[in-house]
Amino acid sequence: MIPMKIRTIIFLCLLPLCVMVISIFVGRFSISVSDVANSLLKLCGFQSSFVSIESFTVVSQLRIPRIIVSAFVGAALAASGAAFQGIFRNPLASPSLLGVSSGAGFGAALAIILFHTYWPTYIFAFAFGIIAVLSSYVIARIYNTVPTIMLILGGMIVSSIFSALISLLKYVADVERELPAIVYWMMGSLSSVGYKSLWALLPISCGLLILQLYSWHINVLSMGDKEAHTMGVNVKRSKSLIISGATLATAGAVCLSGVIGWVGLVIPHIGRMLAGNDNRKLLPFSMSIGAAFMTIIDTLSRIIVESEIPLGILTSLIGAPFFIFLLKKTRGGGWQ
């Protein structure tokens, strides 16, 4: 009999991996199962039977990097949402709470106007996402300490400022080339990712590692700052590290995929239904489910219609009704 802990680990690993493997075989460009398998063998360095250059290119250069990125994006947004919901003790908290999405959106829009190419977009989006969160923290420092409510208010202020700046950039952007690119990026897409974009997986991985290492601290902080202090937790340092980890993961995800809503809000609630409120279990469950969910959403965006559907549209159409279902199922009491 396999112990429950081992079965849980196997489930958490197999769920996203199975979805990712299946997604390789699915796409708008019709490729036979044997051609996909041969392409994978050729990519791994094995001698395989003949496979066309077109099929090999689609599998190795388009589908595989995109599937890898979608899994990391989903894991990052879900884990960050769970961490923010824990430390802020708010079931409606999401990764964009401190302004990272609006800051990244401004950075991407600025890069599109200045450079007219996609590769600086990732760097600018990541950098301004970090700047937005740092700005929220600076605003919260209006007191000697950093109260939770001030941090949230700081995030609202920063989000409002960057949203206004995004509107300004849309107003001055070229309506034939730059404006459509900005609008499309803001709706979320992985159409432009490739192996050169995989550098952003490093901050995502670092952020997820920090969150998992401090998962017990999230448990304690969710009981309140005073309770955490009496249990020997350095509240200021723990909050700073957890927010830093969530920010790294979210900024890395947003710079790759654009602004995608609902993933960081809904997936942690699904994780709580399966794993409970213990963040030592909740975070791995959220990462696994988030990775699988985002991979499925990206696959659907590629195959539903000829022209690709932005990810933000699908996550909203699926996430909002599902959240209503969760509220009905738990009667609003499925958190803490």
Side-chain angles (χ1 to χ4, degrees):
M1 186 68 178
I2 302 176
M4 178 63 71
K5 186 175 182 179
I6 301 299
R7 282 188 288 172
T8 301
I9 294 174
I10 293 174
F11 168 77
L12 294 178
C13 294
L14 286 182
L15 176 62
L17 284 176
C18 289
V19 174
M20 291 170 70
V21 171
I22 294 172
S23 298
I24 297 176
F25 292 85
V26 180
R28 191 163 58 245
F29 186 81
S30 180
I31 305 176
S32 66
V33 174
S34 60
D35 281 350
V36 174
N38 289 329
S39 298
L40 293 175
L41 289 173
K42 184 177 180 180
L43 187 63
C44 294
F46 295 100
Q47 294 294 331
S48 61
S49 58
F50 175 77
V51 57
S52 66
I53 296 177
E54 292 82 3
S55 297
F56 179 73
T57 301
V58 169
V59 172
S60 62
Q61 301 298 320
L62 299 180
R63 291 185 185 175
I64 289 180
R66 182 164 178 166
I67 290 169
I68 293 173
V69 169
S70 66
F72 271 86
V73 167
L77 294 177
S80 299
F84 279 139
Q85 289 169 13
I87 63 172
F88 291 125
R89 294 180 288 166
N90 185 349
L92 297 179
S94 66
S96 61
L97 185 66
L98 300 183
V100 62
S101 295
S102 55
F106 170 76
L110 183 63
I112 290 172
I113 290 177
L114 292 179
F115 300 102
H116 307 291
T117 57
Y118 266 103
W119 71 264
T121 304
Y122 303 122
I123 299 174
F124 271 61
F126 180 81
F128 277 94
I130 300 294
I131 291 172
V133 176
L134 291 176
S135 301
S136 301
Y137 194 83
V138 170
I139 293 173
R141 292 282 300 177
I142 193 171
Y143 296 114
N144 291 329
T145 58
V146 185
T148 299
I149 186 63
M150 286 302 300
L151 198 54
I152 295 174
L153 289 175
M156 293 176 61
I157 294 170
V158 170
S159 294
S160 178
I161 293 172
F162 276 114
S163 296
L165 291 174
I166 292 172
S167 298
L168 176 62
L169 291 180
K170 287 180 179 179
Y171 181 76
V172 301
D174 178 66
V175 294
E176 293 184 0
R177 184 173 57 179
E178 296 169 352
L179 183 59
I182 293 172
V183 172
Y184 187 72
W185 191 92
M186 295 296 295
M187 289 190 292
S189 174
L190 293 174
S191 60
S192 61
V193 301
Y195 289 108
K196 292 182 180 179
S197 311
L198 298 185
W199 65 268
L201 301 187
L202 179 60
I204 291 177
S205 301
C206 291
L208 294 178
L209 179 61
I210 292 172
L211 292 180
Q212 189 59 47
L213 290 175
Y214 277 80
S215 57
W216 180 80
H217 293 253
I218 300 175
N219 287 342
V220 179
L221 289 170
S222 65
M223 296 186 293
D225 292 354
K226 291 183 179 179
E227 289 78 0
H229 184 72
T230 58
M231 295 183 68
V233 173
N234 187 323
V235 174
K236 182 179 179 181
R237 184 180 66 181
S238 295
K239 275 190 175 182
S240 298
L241 286 170
I242 293 167
I243 291 174
S244 298
T247 300
L248 279 175
T250 304
V254 174
C255 81
L256 287 171
S257 64
V259 181
I260 299 176
W262 290 98
V263 178
L265 176 61
V266 175
I267 299 301
H269 287 278
I270 299 176
R272 286 189 186 92
M273 295 175 63
L274 298 174
N277 292 322
D278 186 353
N279 283 276
R280 291 173 295 182
K281 297 178 182 179
L282 174 60
L283 286 176
F285 268 86
S286 297
M287 293 179 201
S288 178
I289 299 170
F293 175 77
M294 201 66 240
T295 304
I296 293 172
I297 291 295
D298 183 55
T299 303
L300 290 175
S301 74
R302 293 188 283 117
I303 65 174
I304 290 179
V305 294
E306 269 190 48
S307 58
E308 189 172 308
I309 300 176
L311 297 176
I313 294 176
L314 285 179
T315 55
S316 297
L317 289 176
I318 296 174
F322 193 77
F323 194 63
I324 296 174
F325 166 76
L326 288 178
L327 291 176
K328 183 178 180 180
K329 186 176 180 64
T330 61
R331 297 182 184 276
W335 188 86
Q336 299 295 347

